[in-house]
Amino acid sequence: MTGSPNLSFRPLEMDDLKAISLVHYRACLIAYQFMNWSYSLQEVEAWYSPKFVEWSWTLAAFEADAMAGFIALKGRHVDQLFVDPSRHRRGAGSALLERAIASAHASALGRITLDVFEQNFAARAFYEKHGFRERDRWMNEEEGAIDLLYVREG
């Protein structure tokens, strides 16, 4: 599995709420410029608060004591994967995704899915590099952007 030798991993804990909210917030300010994403850090934190009980598998990556990124699955669907922009292109996202895929395949073979915005070109290239392919598209009315379903067959 890939990953920086400086990364450590552990499952997410409820105490990580502020850290994942900050990673998400910082990443979305950059990745979602095409839709003028403008939620406050407090709104992101409130949105994440009930999410922990929905997730079946989670993992956080840390570099030193700072959260580099995190991933959360709902069954075989990648619900969240965000890496702090200050740590982009250093292996944290690939390491998190590869560990999630391995975990999902350990429970049963089959497909893994995720949603990604059509105009998030960097994320789409990242997922395609990891074997995901577009299967469906729809208008995300809440965000006013086209969402894509990506699938990786196992």
Side-chain angles (χ1 to χ4, degrees):
M1 287 188 192
T2 48
S4 165
N6 299 326
L7 291 176
S8 61
F9 300 90
R10 69 161 170 76
L12 286 174
E13 301 168 355
M14 193 62 190
D15 288 345
D16 294 322
L17 177 61
K18 287 191 181 303
I20 68 171
S21 298
L22 183 59
V23 167
H24 177 113
Y25 176 79
R26 289 171 44 86
C28 289
L29 285 175
I30 294 168
Y32 297 163
Q33 289 179 6
F34 63 88
M35 64 180 177
N36 297 316
W37 190 89
S38 61
Y39 295 96
S40 70
L41 182 56
Q42 292 74 26
E43 288 172 310
V44 172
E45 197 171 309
W47 184 81
Y48 268 117
S49 186
K51 290 286 191 183
F52 284 79
V53 297
E54 299 175 10
W55 294 330
S56 57
W57 188 89
T58 64
L59 195 65
F62 293 87
E63 191 171 45
D65 290 334
M67 184 177 289
F70 67 96
I71 191 167
L73 302 180
K74 285 182 179 179
R76 300 179 62 72
H77 183 80
V78 177
D79 186 56
Q80 302 295 312
L81 172 55
F82 287 96
V83 173
D84 189 275
S86 69
R87 291 171 170 84
H88 277 183
R89 306 194 67 76
R90 291 169 47 187
S94 291
L96 288 164
L97 185 58
E98 289 170 7
R99 284 166 172 76
I101 291 167
S103 172
H105 286 318
S107 61
L109 292 177
R111 64 189 224 158
I112 298 170
T113 61
L114 58 87
D115 301 329
V116 62
F117 287 113
E118 181 179 51
Q119 290 183 313
N120 190 348
F121 300 113
R124 290 177 60 193
F126 170 80
Y127 292 128
E128 290 168 8
K129 180 178 98 175
H130 288 280
F132 286 84
R133 299 293 175 253
E134 179 185 339
R135 288 290 168 84
D136 199 4
R137 64 180 45 234
W138 65 94
M139 174 56 80
N140 180 321
E141 298 294 337
E142 182 179 347
E143 300 297 348
I146 295 181
D147 245 330
L148 305 175
L149 173 68
Y150 266 39
V151 176
R152 177 185 158 133
E153 300 295 341

